[in-house]
Amino acid sequence: MITEEKASIGKSSSFSRFTIHLNENDHLKLGASGSEDAGKWIRSLQNAVLKECPNPEKEFMSFSKKNWLPSRFGNAKRAHRQRSIDYYSFLHNEAVTSDVIAPSPWKIFGCQNGLRLFKEAKDWDSRGKHWDAHPAIMAVGVINGTPEAIFRTLMSLGASRSEWDFSFYRGNVVEHLDGHTDILHAKLYSNWLPWGMMRRDFLLRRYWRREEDGTYVILYHSVIHKKCPPQNGYVRACLKSGGYVITPVNKGRESLVKHMLAVDWKFWKVYLRQPYARSLTIRMLERLAALREMFRAKAGNYPSDFSSAGSEVKIMLDQAAVEDIKSEDISQQKLELDADLEEDETEKTNSGRRSLMSLNDASDEFFDVPDSGEVIAFDHLENGWFPEVSQEWPASNMSQPRLSSAAVFVKKIHDLAVQKKGYMDFQELAKEENVVPSFGNTLQKDSACSLPCSWATSDPTTFLIRGENYLKDNQKIKAKGTLMQMVGADWLRSEHKEDDLGSRAESIVQKYAAQGRPEFFFIVNIQVPGVTQYTLALYYMLKTPLEETPLLHSFVNGDDAFRNSRFKLIPYISKGSWIVKQSVGKKACLVGQALEMHYFRGKNYLELDIDVGSSTVARGVVSLVLGYLNHLVIEMAFVIQGNTEEELPEVLLGTCRLNNLDASKSVLV
């Protein structure tokens, strides 16, 4: 077994130490200068072991699943306690590539400062000719630096950021949610904004992870937090979706960096049209060119102050690091107070520039004020923050007539009540009388995928699986079909976890059993934690005898360790926001290695209950997905991983397509 931990050297640098456990008493400890070097050593050691032991599951079945936590979904607290390496998993030693065949929604529209510029085309605009009010725009470029160096530079909020980020004035961490997520407040400089435009700031939820191939992902979206309400002198812009994807190229010496933004700048559209907002977003994306030039000037070596500024951010933050950052934040806030006064004096000298069309500062303040939804009372919120209520803002909010102060106040209260109710209904749905549902039929089927809150099956050829010669050529092939037929789905909510749905007398499983029918059922029960517990259950039916499929027969009748090492989920967001697509990804995941799973074996069924709440990172991803749920089309495929020639090629167990799920339409149990 190979585990890794971070060790600090002073305050400004750190190194990675990983341990090889030869047996219960013998350990070999090695040190490396960083995560990149540690990863190279670990990969080499694992490849050597694979040559000697081509079928590791049989040799190492006694390993606990907690020793193998993929960084995408691993529990931060549990990873810190176990000191398990979450970068490279011994049991899924595959390159991080997409396991889904899907067309790219991005269409190139230009090249600027050596960056290729893309816009996200909608379904009705496959050629990308039309522009939305707040379009998603992406800049792509190659930077002469390692992914780790670029990641630390992007995460840093210190003085070193001024070397490349011309838009960033000052920022601080408002709250640390877990080892992969925090709440960030960022203020922008005003000198690069258009003439007459007030200063802008963002309050963002920042999430990051490291993939197995060394790719770093940093995602942002706007939130509201009780500790950081809108501030005087700033208009709070809304980052609907944004972030970075940093992929190693040229053997890790360079990085392909994608920087994406979809921003609502909160303009008063009477005098600032959509093209102006679009050009401002493109201008902000040019930070990527500045970052590239800085690394080129440094010959790929970031300066020493990056280490001190960036060392506060680790892929997995331990408690000591969190406390250190909190103390630094307090000191930083004291310094910011004086800086704000100085900045205000500077802004006053340019106050003449702030009027347009004879509007004075007060009127400009009114027309640039954030939407009323941003002043929602925070006392009733569970975590003190939540994502924007909707991806689309009502058109009426974008062009408002000038109102008196009293009228504005009344209108704000009205809008507040409407928006608050619209959000709170998600967590505080009206209590209904408990009605015993027919399990397996609570979510409607729509093969045409035109109805909201419905399910259908996905095209199997969309997904890639291990081919017959995978052990030799490492190649995956298109799936040709599924082993089972999807026959039903449940979308439920309750005050507690709903386990073992297959045993309920009202379920489709027990109805078949009562009739003495031979069909076997496979149930995937995804449990989402929260004030209200949500349950998504998918029902698959096998018509042929179980014994005719040896691998499935071994899975159904095997122990939990075997099941955890073989059950894979391939996710795919076919329609939805870029930030959600990047959070979920399109790579197969051994679910049992990342999340706690419980298995229930009945006479004619096997149910897999997946506890999303067992991982803080997975909880963060799911909470993000829930915020956009009404606008998503989610596709999934399930497969039992084949590890020997006899078990290849793989065959999909089943697929599923979920169309615009609505939490308010879930069934209360």
Side-chain angles (χ1 to χ4, degrees):
M1 182 177 65
I2 305 174
T3 58
E4 184 195 40
E5 59 182 299
K6 294 278 186 180
S8 299
I9 304 176
K11 295 182 178 180
S12 62
S13 62
S14 64
F15 69 91
S16 294
R17 181 172 60 219
F18 58 96
T19 304
I20 302 176
H21 300 265
L22 303 176
N23 54 47
E24 184 176 347
N25 299 317
D26 298 330
H27 309 278
L28 175 63
K29 291 188 176 182
L30 301 175
S33 59
S35 299
E36 297 288 333
D37 290 338
K40 292 177 182 178
W41 275 97
I42 293 168
R43 275 200 303 265
S44 299
L45 291 169
Q46 290 176 349
N47 290 336
V49 174
L50 281 174
K51 292 180 180 179
E52 296 295 327
C53 178
N55 190 18
E57 283 81 358
K58 293 182 179 179
E59 299 291 336
F60 297 97
M61 192 56 65
S62 60
F63 281 5
S64 167
K65 67 180 180 180
K66 293 183 179 180
N67 290 332
W68 308 106
L69 297 175
S71 60
R72 185 187 303 173
F73 299 115
N75 187 322
K77 294 180 180 179
R78 193 166 59 196
H80 172 64
R81 185 170 61 249
Q82 295 290 333
R83 295 296 186 186
S84 297
I85 178 167
D86 61 0
Y87 297 162
Y88 305 95
S89 171
F90 182 77
L91 294 179
H92 33 95
N93 188 31
E94 300 177 9
V96 177
T97 55
S98 174
D99 285 327
V100 175
I101 301 175
S104 172
W106 295 98
K107 306 297 180 182
I108 190 168
F109 68 89
C111 185
Q112 192 166 317
N113 287 334
L115 303 174
R116 287 179 296 152
L117 300 177
F118 297 81
K119 73 175 293 284
E120 189 176 24
K122 303 300 181 183
D123 295 332
W124 52 269
D125 180 26
S126 60
R127 296 185 179 180
K129 291 184 177 180
H130 301 281
W131 291 89
D132 295 336
H134 314 296
I137 306 176
M138 180 170 63
V140 180
V142 176
I143 297 180
N144 184 24
T146 65
E148 183 178 14
I150 296 172
F151 169 78
R152 292 190 177 277
T153 302
L154 293 173
M155 294 289 286
S156 172
L157 302 178
S160 61
R161 198 174 183 98
S162 63
E163 294 189 47
W164 64 275
D165 192 347
F166 52 79
S167 67
F168 182 86
Y169 169 52
R170 194 165 55 240
N172 65 285
V173 176
V174 177
E175 181 180 355
H176 298 280
L177 302 180
D178 56 57
H180 284 265
T181 316
D182 56 26
I183 303 297
L184 174 70
H185 182 222
K187 297 180 178 179
L188 303 184
Y189 276 116
S190 59
N191 56 6
W192 68 283
L193 298 174
W195 178 77
M197 182 175 174
M198 290 188 63
R199 291 176 290 182
R200 256 56 174 178
D201 69 344
F202 291 100
L203 186 62
L204 306 171
R205 179 181 184 266
R206 179 173 65 175
Y207 162 80
W208 63 91
R209 70 170 184 267
R210 186 184 191 276
E211 298 283 13
E212 295 170 359
D213 70 338
T215 294
Y216 287 87
V217 178
I218 309 173
L219 302 176
Y220 305 90
H221 71 101
S222 286
V223 295
I224 300 172
H225 197 288
K226 61 184 179 182
K227 294 182 180 179
C228 189
Q231 300 184 2
N232 292 332
Y234 284 89
V235 172
R236 183 148 295 174
C238 173
L239 181 60
K240 294 177 174 293
S241 181
Y244 300 87
V245 178
I246 313 159
T247 304
V249 295
N250 195 14
K251 298 183 179 180
R253 292 189 292 269
E254 295 180 318
S255 302
L256 177 67
V257 183
K258 300 177 182 179
H259 182 21
M260 180 271 179
L261 291 173
V263 185
D264 178 0
W265 291 99
K266 302 298 182 182
F267 285 139
W268 179 38
K269 286 192 173 180
V270 171
Y271 65 87
L272 283 176
R273 300 176 182 271
Q274 291 183 16
Y276 218 150
R278 183 169 71 239
S279 63
L280 190 57
T281 300
I282 295 174
R283 170 70 172 141
M284 196 170 185
L285 287 170
E286 291 179 359
R287 297 181 300 176
L288 188 59
L291 182 68
R292 179 195 62 206
E293 295 305 312
M294 185 195 72
F295 270 87
R296 180 180 296 174
K298 302 294 183 180
N301 297 318
Y302 52 91
S304 58
D305 59 336
F306 283 8
S307 299
S308 59
S311 61
E312 64 185 31
V313 181
K314 298 180 180 179
I315 302 302
M316 302 289 288
L317 290 174
D318 54 28
Q319 188 61 33
V322 170
E323 294 300 327
D324 290 341
I325 298 175
K326 287 181 179 179
S327 62
E328 291 179 8
D329 288 342
I330 294 175
S331 302
Q332 179 70 14
Q333 290 173 6
K334 293 179 180 179
L335 295 174
E336 285 179 1
L337 198 54
D338 295 334
D340 276 333
L341 296 175
E342 182 180 349
E343 183 191 19
D344 289 339
E345 291 298 324
T346 304
E347 292 294 331
K348 288 179 181 179
T349 61
N350 298 324
S351 60
R353 299 169 49 209
R354 299 213 173 275
S355 60
L356 291 176
M357 299 181 180
S358 302
L359 295 174
N360 57 25
D361 288 350
S363 60
D364 189 37
E365 178 77 18
F366 163 72
F367 285 111
D368 263 334
V369 74
D371 284 0
S372 57
E374 295 192 6
V375 292
I376 294 176
F378 300 99
D379 296 340
H380 303 292
L381 302 180
E382 179 185 5
N383 297 320
W385 66 273
F386 56 89
E388 293 293 334
V389 175
S390 174
Q391 289 178 274
E392 303 297 332
W393 294 90
S396 59
N397 287 349
M398 306 310 298
S399 180
Q400 302 178 3
R402 189 167 181 174
L403 305 174
S404 66
S405 298
V408 170
F409 179 74
V410 173
K411 186 176 185 300
K412 282 182 178 295
I413 293 179
H414 172 74
D415 292 344
L416 170 61
V418 172
Q419 291 200 20
K420 179 177 179 181
K421 183 179 184 299
Y423 173 77
M424 297 305 290
D425 277 350
F426 183 78
Q427 294 288 352
E428 299 177 4
L429 297 162
K431 298 297 182 181
E432 304 173 2
E433 294 184 5
N434 285 42
V435 179
V436 178
S438 176
F439 292 101
N441 295 308
T442 61
L443 189 63
Q444 64 179 334
K445 179 181 179 180
D446 177 27
S447 300
C449 298
S450 58
L451 297 177
C453 205
S454 62
W455 70 267
T457 56
S458 297
D459 181 3
T461 61
T462 302
F463 303 94
L464 295 176
I465 56 178
R466 294 182 173 186
E468 186 176 0
N469 299 317
Y470 180 82
L471 298 180
K472 299 177 182 178
D473 56 21
N474 205 39
Q475 295 297 313
K476 294 190 174 183
I477 60 175
K478 287 184 181 180
K480 296 180 180 180
T482 61
L483 189 62
M484 300 181 179
Q485 174 188 358
M486 186 172 180
V487 294
D490 284 327
W491 181 223
L492 312 171
R493 70 178 185 274
S494 64
E495 296 180 353
H496 51 78
K497 291 181 181 179
E498 296 295 332
D499 295 325
D500 197 9
L501 298 178
S503 66
R504 311 289 177 94
E506 306 81 12
S507 72
I508 185 176
V509 176
Q510 295 304 319
K511 291 178 180 178
Y512 270 69
Q515 298 174 11
R517 298 181 61 169
E519 289 85 355
F520 186 84
F521 287 86
F522 192 91
I523 308 170
V524 180
N525 182 353
I526 303 174
Q527 302 168 331
V528 182
V531 175
T532 300
Q533 297 273 344
Y534 288 92
T535 298
L536 175 65
L538 311 174
Y539 295 77
Y540 297 90
M541 185 173 67
L542 179 68
K543 294 184 177 180
T544 59
L546 192 61
E547 292 76 14
E548 293 184 5
T549 311
L551 182 56
L552 179 60
H553 183 271
S554 299
F555 183 88
V556 169
N557 296 298
D559 58 19
D560 289 357
F562 177 76
R563 293 166 175 165
N564 289 336
S565 67
R566 294 299 190 95
F567 180 69
K568 289 197 300 190
L569 160 67
I570 308 176
Y572 172 40
I573 306 295
S574 57
K575 293 183 181 180
S577 169
W578 178 86
I579 187 173
V580 179
K581 291 181 179 180
Q582 290 296 327
S583 297
V584 174
K586 295 185 289 186
K587 177 64 184 172
C589 172
L590 285 168
V591 183
Q593 307 299 326
L595 303 173
E596 289 186 6
M597 296 183 63
H598 303 280
Y599 302 90
F600 298 91
R601 177 71 162 93
K603 179 181 179 181
N604 66 331
Y605 73 93
L606 175 68
E607 180 173 329
L608 291 70
D609 288 2
I610 304 172
D611 182 8
V612 176
S614 61
S615 164
T616 55
V617 180
R619 267 204 312 271
V621 173
V622 171
S623 68
L624 176 62
V625 171
L626 288 176
Y628 294 86
L629 197 59
N630 292 7
H631 305 279
L632 300 179
V633 175
I634 305 170
E635 303 193 41
M636 293 181 285
F638 305 100
V639 62
I640 299 175
Q641 181 170 283
N643 291 333
T644 65
E645 292 184 1
E646 294 76 15
E647 297 171 347
L648 297 176
E650 294 177 334
V651 180
L652 292 180
L653 296 177
T655 64
C656 179
R657 178 184 172 104
L658 303 169
N659 187 38
N660 302 116
L661 289 180
D662 188 343
S664 65
K665 295 182 179 180
S666 58
V667 176
L668 180 66
V669 292

